[in-house]
């Protein structure tokens, strides 16, 4: 047996219901923030970034990044390219080896990404 539920009137006046929220971040800002977060969405990339940030000379050679994360050199290179494209690290070619350093403004980029979401700007 089917039981029908009674229909209720939906509010029509603006004050009768929730008011729409603010617009939040615009599409361009959302894309920029998503690119940053996407680069950090992989645990290996987070570890690689932290290894580069902790490097004694301020940079790390790709040859020094493979062993700590237990990944092959091509895989580490792929992850590092993602971090470079997101603006979190810089890459410098020295002979046959690539060296990476935390990008100037990377900390500010991460802080701004988080702040823009939480403040709705």
């Amino acid at each position: 047996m089917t039981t029908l539920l009674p229909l209720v009137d939906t509010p029509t006046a603006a004050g009768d219901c929730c008011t729409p929220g603010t617009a939040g971040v615009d599409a361009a800002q959302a894309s920029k923030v998503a690119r940053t977060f996407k680069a950090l969405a992989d645990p290996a990339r987070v570890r690689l970034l932290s290894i580069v940030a902790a490097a004694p000379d301020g940079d790390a050679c790709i040859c020094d990044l493979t062993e700590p994360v237990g990944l092959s050199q091509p895989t580490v290179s792929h992850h590092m390219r993602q971090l470079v494209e997101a603006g979190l690290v810089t890459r410098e070619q020295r002979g046959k080896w690539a060296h990476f350093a935390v990008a100037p403004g990377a900390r500010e980029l991460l802080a701004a990404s988080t702040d823009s979401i939480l403040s709705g700007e």
Side-chain angles (χ1 to χ4, degrees), residues 2-100:
T2 304
T3 303
L4 298 176
L5 297 174
L7 294 176
V8 295
D9 289 330
T10 57
T12 55
D16 292 344
C17 186
C18 302
T19 56
T22 60
V25 297
D26 63 23
Q29 182 66 18
S31 178
K32 184 177 176 181
V33 170
R35 184 174 47 251
T36 302
F37 286 163
K38 185 176 181 181
L40 292 174
D42 187 291
R45 289 187 201 130
V46 173
R47 290 192 63 211
L48 288 165
L49 180 59
S50 70
I51 293 167
V52 171
D57 297 332
D59 70 29
C61 177
I62 191 76
C63 62
D64 298 325
L65 297 174
T66 56
E67 186 179 327
V69 293
L71 299 171
S72 68
Q73 187 274 326
T75 301
V76 171
S77 291
H78 165 76
H79 287 308
M80 294 308 296
R81 184 174 57 249
Q82 299 300 313
L83 293 171
V84 168
E85 289 174 0
L88 297 172
V89 297
T90 59
R91 180 184 185 279
E92 179 185 346
Q93 192 71 33
R94 297 182 196 163
K96 69 176 190 171
W97 297 108
H99 289 255
F100 298 90

